[in-house]
Amino acid sequence: MKDIARQNMSIKVESMDLLNGQIKMEAHASAIYLAMASWCEQNGFFTSAKFFYKQTEEERGHMMKIFQFLVDVGGNPISPEVKNINHDYSSIVDVFETTLEHEVAVTKSIHNIVLKARELGDITTERFLDWFVLEQVEEENTIRDILDMIEVTGTEGVGLQMIDNKVNDWME
Ligand code: FEO
């Protein structure tokens, strides 16, 4: 991208670079959730697989929302390269715990960009990220609720299949 074009953007260059990093993170999340859907399919957790197919689409939607924002502000969105997707999980609990870890990392990353945008006086980026801040509250809450349910249900005997059935409650 030419220097003059970077200077004519309606957001700060530093914000654009951070948002391109976030595009990559959302693409990575989409790929991780697809790998989790695969694991769920192979291990008989068919409702959970549907849940992760939905999450995959949502994460791609998040990625495209940022991508389009960078187009709108005259920036240069980068189509991300996604590597190192883990397909091995030890249990359905591992799948959901890993999901929560990932969502917490995404939240931290979003907050970091908000704080940086604030420091830069980049009000446009800060406002744009409001939606993502609230979306993360919802996403973390969903996964915490599922983990709470797993704790109550237990993973012995029919517990595992009950867990899978109950994941349906978090599918809109
Ligand atoms: Fe787009 Fe679940 O973070």
Side-chain angles (χ1 to χ4, degrees):
M1 192 177 187
K2 292 201 170 86
D3 279 355
I4 186 69
R6 286 167 77 92
Q7 283 161 21
N8 282 342
M9 282 192 308
S10 54
I11 65 168
K12 303 284 184 183
V13 172
E14 294 92 331
S15 299
M16 180 177 77
D17 293 342
L18 288 169
L19 287 171
N20 267 318
Q22 194 61 37
I23 283 175
K24 190 167 188 163
M25 202 167 191
E26 303 290 345
H28 194 245
S30 180
I32 287 174
Y33 294 155
L34 193 57
M36 287 177 172
S38 171
W39 185 93
C40 290
E41 292 277 18
Q42 289 170 67
N43 288 277
F45 297 102
F46 302 116
T47 308
S48 300
K50 284 198 188 91
F51 175 83
F52 283 108
Y53 286 131
K54 184 168 161 278
Q55 294 308 112
T56 294
E57 294 303 323
E58 280 190 12
E59 298 303 347
R60 183 170 169 81
H62 297 169
M63 179 191 91
M64 290 309 298
K65 208 175 175 85
I66 303 170
F67 198 98
Q68 191 59 52
F69 173 70
L70 288 181
V71 170
D72 292 347
V73 297
N76 180 28
I78 307 289
S79 179
E81 191 177 352
V82 179
K83 292 191 282 197
N84 301 326
I85 303 304
N86 179 35
H87 282 76
D88 296 324
Y89 297 95
S90 58
S91 65
I92 192 70
V93 179
D94 185 23
V95 167
F96 282 107
E97 282 180 345
T98 305
T99 301
L100 181 58
E101 272 171 27
H102 194 76
E103 288 303 330
V104 168
V106 169
T107 300
K108 277 189 187 148
S109 176
I110 298 277
H111 288 188
N112 179 49
I113 305 173
V114 169
L115 291 172
K116 189 69 190 169
R118 192 171 293 166
E119 190 186 311
L120 294 165
D122 185 345
I123 296 165
T124 307
T125 296
E126 193 179 340
R127 280 290 169 86
F128 167 70
L129 288 171
D130 280 351
W131 182 89
F132 283 85
V133 170
L134 297 179
E135 175 71 5
Q136 282 311 116
V137 172
E138 200 179 298
E139 295 218 332
E140 281 190 29
N141 187 40
T142 296
I143 304 302
R144 283 201 178 91
D145 282 351
I146 291 173
L147 284 169
D148 285 348
M149 176 273 290
I150 290 174
E151 204 171 323
V152 170
T153 307
T155 54
E156 298 300 320
V158 293
L160 280 178
Q161 221 42 57
M162 276 175 69
I163 288 169
D164 194 47
N165 292 338
K166 282 191 178 178
V167 168
N168 203 40
D169 294 351
W170 287 275
M171 305 262 296
E172 288 162 355

